[in-house]
Amino acid sequence: MAPPADTNDPRWQLTLQVVNSPDFEKSPRLRSFLTFICELELTGRRLEINEQQIGVNVFGRHPGYNPGDDSIVRSQARFLRQRLEEFFRTTGQHEPMRIVIPKGSYVPVFEVTPAATPEPLPSSEVANRPDAHSVEAPGTNLPEEMANRPTRRRRIAAISFAALLILALILFLWLRRDLPIFQSPEARFWNAVFDPRRAQVIVPADSTLILIEELTGQQVSFQSYVSRDYLVKLALPKSVTTLTSTDLENSHYTSMADLNLVSRMMRVPQLKQLRAEIRYARDLSISDAKEENLILIGGPRANPWVELFAAHMNFYVDYDWRTKQNSVINKAPRNGELPLYPENASDAAHRVYGLIAFEPSLDREGDALLVAGTSSAGTQSAADFLLSGRSFGEFLRQIERKDGSIPHFELLLEAPSVGGNVPGSNIVAYRVAP
């Protein structure tokens, strides 16, 4: 992007200082967002600053996309406002000017920072002021006054010292809640998943995709899913008389197990403060997947974005088109483990399998959380383990590092299914990153 005509403009220089600061180094899209709108503002093209133009030029949306159906610009604008506030509260607190993006607008405003409180005048200047000698002279009872000064000073010092101790104790107790050493393993885990320095996007499964594959009898590849070619070339069988390709293209179905997990996850304290975005799998883009902390729900058949992480995972939920069976593949079985954990309808125990994977993000700058199962009941078993009871906390205590950080891991669970519900689950196997 070309800079404004006047590169000496202090407003442009401030823009470059902000986007090149450590506060923005892990957010390339926020840097592009801020640079784009500031460049338009400083070159007299304010009317071009709108949601449509930002979506196309910054986030790679196609020119005819509907911002009403895609909230990427609005959600990223919220993160950009938060990041700017943080920058000018810390790193840029002494800058003579600040950048503000008012709510309801994408036009940047360059505000002059209010002047600091004037410093007190030197004593020589005070002495020369006309009113400098208007203060009355001290009284004549100096010996008694001087005798009382040490006592007063000791009393004031003792009171001040006690007050400082109380304030220090209050401050310590307030800060300790945010120190990793005082946090539970679950809190440390969720703090990593919901990192305030990055955007978080929860992506439920695309159940419409499974419906399309069942109707057409053809598997949709990841490339076709991302480009949406499968919707353009959709050929429904003649037996389907009332359903059209347009109906399926406009449908956004997901499972109740996924919605239940999203609802419970939205109550996690760390997420309450950040307000992560919920996005349908079909509406996610490659750039979103690379630059955000993703929470992917469902296996690769219903959520193809899982395939981006598959190469680095040991456990993987797979669907056998020949047997019409879901199973978990164990790429490198250890002693006592099986290479395959199928969900078999004829199994008298009605065993289902759930998978929780905490992986590095695609750009290796953040983290991703994958929750899947061999069925809705399997996904429920993973969700229950992740969000309720002591079992997850005990597992994290078992794998946490000496410094208290939580390593990346994969966790395979087995649970009995009773009428589609799971009363409890057991750990079958797990892997921990070095």
Side-chain angles (χ1 to χ4, degrees):
M1 181 178 297
D6 184 6
T7 56
N8 294 322
D9 188 330
R11 295 172 297 176
W12 179 248
Q13 294 175 352
L14 177 61
T15 301
L16 295 180
Q17 180 180 342
V18 172
V19 298
N20 292 319
S21 67
D23 304 74
F24 280 76
E25 65 180 356
K26 292 186 178 180
S27 303
R29 290 203 300 172
L30 294 185
R31 296 174 63 184
S32 300
F33 194 159
L34 182 61
T35 304
F36 178 72
I37 60 177
C38 288
E39 192 265 343
L40 292 181
E41 169 67 11
L42 298 179
T43 53
R45 293 181 286 166
R46 178 180 297 181
L47 295 180
E48 298 179 33
I49 304 177
N50 56 59
E51 187 171 354
Q52 181 82 23
Q53 289 297 320
I54 296 171
V56 172
N57 290 279
V58 177
F59 299 105
R61 298 302 192 257
H62 61 84
Y65 96 103
N66 182 5
D69 297 332
D70 190 337
S71 62
I72 181 66
V73 177
R74 297 188 294 276
S75 63
Q76 292 300 309
R78 182 174 70 250
F79 290 120
L80 180 55
R81 292 187 184 100
Q82 294 173 353
R83 196 66 58 84
L84 284 172
E85 291 176 1
E86 179 66 20
F87 173 83
F88 287 108
R89 185 168 58 248
T90 56
T91 307
Q93 60 180 316
H94 299 301
E95 293 297 325
M97 186 186 305
R98 63 180 61 225
I99 304 174
V100 177
I101 303 175
K103 290 185 178 180
S105 171
Y106 302 112
V107 179
V109 176
F110 294 85
E111 294 183 347
V112 177
T113 305
T117 305
E119 295 183 0
L121 294 173
S123 57
S124 58
E125 294 187 25
V126 173
N128 293 328
R129 290 179 53 177
D131 58 345
H133 302 287
S134 60
V135 182
E136 292 184 5
T140 56
N141 193 14
L142 292 179
E144 180 180 352
E145 182 180 347
M146 295 177 65
N148 291 332
R149 282 181 182 175
T151 304
R152 292 176 183 174
R153 288 175 181 171
R154 285 194 294 271
R155 187 180 305 154
I156 293 173
I159 295 174
S160 300
F161 182 71
L164 286 174
L165 281 178
I166 295 173
L167 287 174
L169 179 60
I170 294 174
L171 182 62
F172 172 74
L173 293 175
W174 183 79
L175 288 176
R176 67 178 289 179
R177 60 178 185 172
D178 293 325
L179 294 175
I181 192 174
F182 292 110
Q183 291 176 345
S184 66
E186 298 97 310
R188 278 176 265 143
F189 168 76
W190 290 116
N191 281 334
V193 176
F194 300 127
D195 186 343
R197 296 170 298 178
R198 291 169 64 94
Q200 292 82 30
V201 178
I202 302 176
V203 187
D206 182 355
S207 298
T208 307
L209 178 60
I210 297 180
L211 177 61
I212 290 174
E213 290 184 336
E214 292 292 337
L215 290 173
T216 61
Q218 297 179 352
Q219 185 177 5
V220 176
S221 67
F222 175 74
Q223 290 76 10
S224 180
Y225 185 77
V226 173
S227 65
R228 299 197 180 195
D229 285 348
Y230 73 104
L231 294 172
V232 177
K233 302 174 181 178
L234 190 60
L236 295 175
K238 294 181 180 180
S239 58
V240 181
T241 57
T242 60
L243 195 63
T244 66
S245 58
T246 303
D247 293 332
L248 293 174
E249 183 176 358
N250 294 331
S251 299
H252 291 73
Y253 300 133
T254 191
S255 72
M256 287 303 297
D258 289 14
L259 293 179
N260 178 55
L261 174 55
V262 172
S263 174
R264 294 168 66 184
M265 196 171 289
M266 295 298 287
R267 294 194 289 270
V268 173
Q270 287 80 359
L271 184 54
K272 279 185 176 181
Q273 301 172 3
L274 297 176
R275 298 181 182 178
E277 183 180 351
I278 303 172
R279 197 174 308 165
Y280 196 61
R282 192 192 302 164
D283 297 329
L284 200 67
S285 69
I286 289 291
S287 59
D288 297 335
K290 286 182 178 179
E291 299 172 12
E292 296 171 346
N293 278 12
L294 296 180
I295 297 93
L296 301 178
I297 306 174
R301 191 185 178 203
N303 199 334
W305 296 101
V306 174
E307 291 188 22
L308 295 176
F309 298 87
H312 307 288
M313 295 173 61
N314 180 72
F315 302 109
Y316 188 71
V317 178
D318 190 37
Y319 178 74
D320 189 326
W321 280 82
R322 183 179 56 84
T323 62
K324 305 294 184 181
Q325 186 180 60
N326 286 305
S327 59
V328 175
I329 296 175
N330 184 358
K331 295 180 182 178
R334 295 176 178 174
N335 291 337
E337 297 178 356
L338 301 175
L340 191 69
Y341 293 88
E343 181 173 328
N344 194 336
S346 60
D347 178 14
H350 300 289
R351 284 171 293 196
V352 297
Y353 296 94
L355 177 62
I356 302 171
F358 180 48
E359 300 288 330
S361 61
L362 295 178
D363 63 0
R364 318 299 289 186
E365 298 288 344
D367 302 286
L369 176 63
L370 288 68
V371 183
T374 50
S375 62
S376 294
T379 301
Q380 180 188 332
S381 70
D384 289 345
F385 189 91
L386 183 68
L387 293 167
S388 62
R390 300 178 182 176
S391 300
F392 186 52
E394 293 174 354
F395 170 74
L396 294 177
R397 288 184 183 88
Q398 181 180 345
I399 67 170
E400 66 180 343
R401 300 189 181 101
K402 292 182 178 180
D403 62 358
S405 61
I406 305 299
H408 293 111
F409 65 84
E410 298 174 46
L411 179 61
L412 177 61
L413 303 165
E414 179 186 79
S417 175
V418 181
N421 296 310
V422 286
S425 57
N426 298 311
I427 297 177
V428 176
Y430 66 89
R431 299 289 187 273
V432 179

